[in-house]
Amino acid sequence: MKLYNLKNYCEQVNFLQAVKMGLGKNQGLFFPVDLPIIPKKQLKQIIEMDFLSRSVKILSMLIGSEISISDLEKYVRQAFSFPGPNIVPVTKNISCCELFHGPTLAFKDFGARFMAQIISHLNIENNIITILTATSGDTGAAVARAFYEYKNVRVVILYPKGKISTLQEALFCTLGKNITTIAIDGSFDECQALVKQAFNDHQLRHDTGLNSANSINISRLLAQICYFFEAYALISKEQRKKLVIAVPCGNFGNLTAGLLAKSMGLPIQSFIAATNANDTVPRFLKTGKWKPYDCISTISNAMDISRPNNWPRVEELFSRKKWKLTTLGFGSVSDAITEQTLLKLQNIGYTSEPHAAVAYQLLQNQLKEDEFGLFLGTAHPSKFKNVIDNILNINIPLPETLKAPSELPILSHYMKPNFKKLKHFLTSE
Ligand SMILES: *Cc1c(COP(=O)(O)O)cnc(C)c1O
């Protein structure tokens, strides 16, 4: 697999290099040179395969000979060793594609666990690697759990202090061992900026064996393509005819993966990019002006991102495929409407959480009569117990995965959003 840097087309790397580097020169994102297309006949066979075998097939089409099929098979089986996507009907023509039955109850388990497998494949020389990542809530947990107790891997996770739910925090800030967490006195965008700065510092990068596990890492995106195929495989032939998928977006990794699946020939009619009040992309699609505002805290906190990292990839894909950006559905949903939507969903018998609700609301508004809609369930509702219990007047039970960590002390460090301090921390620990 060859990839090029979106900020410097001359810089080309292979898949393993791209995973290792995270970002290219000038903080450019890597993007595939070839966009494989599955012929219609083969697509039919692929859809009929089981989730794991199909995922190996898709990933091997993308990655090529850099990783042997037998290794890839091993990695996929170890990474996706939890209940896969699950389709739950919500209304007559809308279902939720639940992606949250993994070890940290969010879709990020797919990408993070596959990435961990690839990193350990890379690290056959057993060099020390530092995984530095910023999280707006769920990445931290997925990455921390995916790398927990891995030999020679130190994980350092930055998150905006007080801006993630206490249950999210408990999932990754209570682990210790090779997992270090830092509560940053700032927004997620500031955490992300610190990570970017660290990557721009060559000496630091070299000295600490720096690697990122953010959704900028191509291995995560590739892994996520697999569940779009599974979602398609799980719905009926009738539902497949005019399929619209609404994606709750933060950094736009999930949407990028879905669009990549479509570019490979998966017949998804269209996507809806759903955001909360952090609506840089919806405003851009409406006005043509890219104008990020300061980040706003909302109840769908994993989407509180006003400078979405993966957006350049979305634009590149549209331009490469000659798709018109105007065909991308979009919308932004306020907290007040999100709360109403949660109640509405609860009343029709589906307990959801704020992120999925944002996507559901837009799907319900925009879906035409002859279409079938899927909205992605990106996290388990119990992860947002602190908000949904109040809104829905329920007492959602905590699954054991959440209950055990919520009883442990938080081990996080604390830091102002200051790069010098972070650098000192990374080199002296
Ligand atoms: C990360 C996350 C999102 C946003 O996904 P992106 O790939 O960053 O767009 C949405 N919902 C939840 C629950 C998340 O954890």
Side-chain angles (χ1 to χ4, degrees), residues 3 18 25 45 55 65 74 91 133 145-146 177 235 252 279 296 322 367 383 409 417:
L3 302 109
K25 284 183 196 123
Q45 294 167 354
S55 300
S65 55
K74 195 171 71 192
T91 68
T133 192
R145 297 269 161 169
K177 295 197 177 158
I235 59 177
F252 284 73
D279 61 349
I296 302 165
K322 303 200 165 55
L367 199 68
K383 273 188 119 163

Side-chain angles (χ1 to χ4, degrees), residues 79-95:
F80 298 170
S81 59
F82 56 87
N86 185 23
I87 307 281
V88 181
V90 173
T91 68
K92 194 169 86 284
N93 58 346
I94 297 180
S95 295

Side-chain angles (χ1 to χ4, degrees), residues 124-143:
I124 18 185
E125 283 146 37
N126 278 329
N127 296 316
I128 290 283
I129 290 181
T130 301
I131 303 280
L132 175 68
T133 192
T135 183
S136 60
D138 291 324
T139 298
V143 168

